Amino acid sequence: MLEREIEQKLKDGGAALVGFCEIDESPIKGQGNLKYAVSIAYKLSDAVLKTIEDRPSIMYFQHYRAVNARLDQLSLDVVKMIEDEGYNAFPIAASQSTNDDKSAYRGVFSHKKAAVLSGIGYIGKSCLLLTKEYGSKVRFATVLTDMQLISQRQKITGGCGSCTVCRDNCPAGAISGIEYAEGMSRDDFFDAAKCSDHMKSYKDIGRGAVCGICIKVCPKNKLR
Ligand code: SF4
Ligand code: SF4
């Protein structure tokens, strides 16, 4: 079973969590039937997350980029394994900074969608994917493919309960505090434009494109 080999390869490369799923429809136009996905999660460093206080740090910016680069490398390993089996594989970059409609603040495919369908976690009030093992201290990449992949995990249900810590600490006012429920649109509980605009205000930190306060403060993250 290739799922097991893919998972082992990714874990050997440092992935924290790996999942597989079938998507309702092929998400990339003109690319055939890419309706299966490998979801790859890489854990962020607790020590680096601690450097975020009321604003992000340059150490977090650098770490964020390094983790994205590692995720993209892991995706390439998966692409090779799948192509060697004679199927198509399409890597979705860990950080999708642009898409056709920039005002939509969306990448070409949602890593969170693949992670939820794969049973890796659920969406919290912060709009971050919360995992049982690491809370939201994870970043994601996804590989889409036309090779049938069978999910190895049950979908996780969960929620934030009465917690509103991320809403109370978000400097942009982007988090409404409304609990996400299946089928809800992101705009119903999270203001991506406010988050993005705020991140751009940190011009002295890299390109001013990270924040991370909602990760730092989430009680499900239990920083070491
Ligand atoms: S990244 Fe920062 S601005 Fe965006 S939702 Fe989280 S705390 Fe708010
Ligand atoms: S801080 Fe609280 S409300 Fe926000 S994602 Fe974490 S558990 Fe959910």
Side-chain angles (χ1 to χ4, degrees):
M1 185 194 280
L2 199 62
E3 288 91 339
R4 212 167 291 147
E5 287 169 41
I6 291 172
E7 180 163 0
Q8 192 57 53
K9 176 85 174 168
L10 290 170
K11 292 271 177 81
D12 289 348
L17 299 165
V18 178
F20 305 92
C21 66
E22 182 174 359
I23 307 160
D24 39 10
E25 59 183 34
S26 185
I28 312 288
K29 278 191 199 133
Q31 287 289 338
N33 196 29
L34 300 176
K35 59 180 295 198
Y36 298 94
V38 184
S39 176
I40 312 162
Y42 200 97
K43 186 191 156 297
L44 293 160
S45 154
D46 287 52
V48 173
L49 285 171
K50 281 188 197 162
T51 66
I52 301 172
E53 293 188 351
D54 59 346
R55 70 199 308 275
S57 67
I58 190 72
M59 288 80 82
Y60 176 60
F61 172 76
Q62 287 157 345
H63 182 58
Y64 176 95
R65 295 189 76 190
V67 169
N68 287 343
R70 171 60 73 90
L71 278 163
D72 290 340
Q73 292 296 325
L74 292 173
S75 293
L76 294 183
D77 290 343
V78 175
V79 169
K80 180 164 187 335
M81 289 177 85
I82 292 174
E83 288 191 342
D84 285 350
E85 294 293 316
Y87 294 91
N88 289 303
F90 192 107
I92 305 293
S95 181
Q96 307 173 64
S97 51
T98 62
N99 65 8
D100 292 343
D101 177 5
K102 290 191 175 52
S103 64
Y105 301 99
R106 290 184 195 282
V108 291
F109 178 72
S110 163
H111 295 307
K112 279 180 264 190
K113 178 171 183 168
V116 168
L117 290 171
S118 300
I120 286 183
Y122 61 92
I123 294 171
K125 290 179 186 175
S126 57
C127 198
L128 295 167
L129 200 287
L130 292 173
T131 66
K132 197 166 46 152
E133 295 87 344
Y134 308 109
S136 58
K137 297 184 291 188
V138 276
R139 289 199 53 75
F140 289 92
T142 310
V143 177
L144 303 172
T145 178
D146 51 11
M147 185 180 78
Q148 185 178 25
L149 294 167
I150 309 293
S151 179
Q152 312 291 296
R153 301 161 177 263
Q154 298 288 320
K155 249 171 100 176
I156 299 174
T157 52
C160 298
S162 58
C163 179
T164 56
V165 170
C166 56
R167 181 199 69 186
D168 301 342
N169 285 275
C170 172
I175 300 169
S176 69
I178 296 169
E179 187 93 73
Y180 170 78
E182 198 169 335
M184 258 167 97
S185 143
R186 183 184 62 190
D187 298 343
D188 294 339
F189 70 106
F190 181 77
D191 191 326
K194 279 188 182 169
C195 172
S196 176
D197 289 348
H198 183 80
M199 288 199 289
K200 286 180 198 139
S201 71
Y202 300 119
K203 292 278 183 250
D204 56 326
I205 298 172
R207 290 170 302 163
V210 290
C211 170
I213 292 170
C214 48
I215 302 176
K216 165 76 184 290
V217 299
C218 178
K220 294 195 187 284
N221 290 347
K222 299 184 195 81
L223 295 185
R224 282 189 211 112

